[in-house]
């Protein structure tokens, strides 16, 4: 029974960024589906992650992992934002 529930709301600057984060995180498979579920949704620029688990410990581990993933996603967005318009050349 997954009776421990935590909802994590993460605001992004744009809806596109929230959608990228949701798509990136949702491809990771849940290893113990009988112990934890995670549902992602976006509304405007807000990513919502809803965790349901069998214990507070399972929820804590899942939320911690999600926060680490979100941090990495945001760092990548900051690093590569607008870079698709840049042409890199090898000037040797």
């Amino acid at each position: 029974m997954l009776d421990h529930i935590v909802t994590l709301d993460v605001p992004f600057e744009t809806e596109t960024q929230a959608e990228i984060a949701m798509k990136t995180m949702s491809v990771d498979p849940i290893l113990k589906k009988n112990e934890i579920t995670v549902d992602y949704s976006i509304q405007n620029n807000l990513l919502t992650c809803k965790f349901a688990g069998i214990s507070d410990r399972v929820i804590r581990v899942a939320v911690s992992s999600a926060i680490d993933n979100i941090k990495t996603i945001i760092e990548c967005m900051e690093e590569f934002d607008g870079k698709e318009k840049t042409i890199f050349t090898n000037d040797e």
Side-chain angles (χ1 to χ4, degrees), residues 4-56:
H4 291 77
I5 297 173
V6 171
T7 301
L8 181 65
D9 290 327
V10 183
F12 285 85
E13 291 180 1
T14 66
E15 184 174 356
T16 300
Q17 289 178 341
E19 187 174 340
I20 289 168
M22 181 182 73
K23 288 180 179 179
T24 302
M25 294 180 66
S26 63
V27 297
D28 289 338
I30 301 296
L31 299 178
K32 296 182 179 181
K33 294 180 182 182
N34 60 328
E35 292 183 12
I36 184 87
T37 63
V38 184
D39 294 312
Y40 302 100
S41 63
I42 57 169
Q43 183 157 3
N44 299 319
N45 65 326
L46 188 68
L47 169 64
T48 299
C49 311
K50 183 177 180 182
F51 302 86
I54 61 169
S55 71
D56 56 348

Side-chain angles (χ1 to χ4, degrees), residues 76-88:
C76 288
M77 286 179 187
E78 289 175 351
E79 181 69 28
F80 296 109
D81 187 33
K83 296 286 194 300
E84 72 276 0
K85 298 174 190 164
T86 303
I87 298 173
F88 297 96

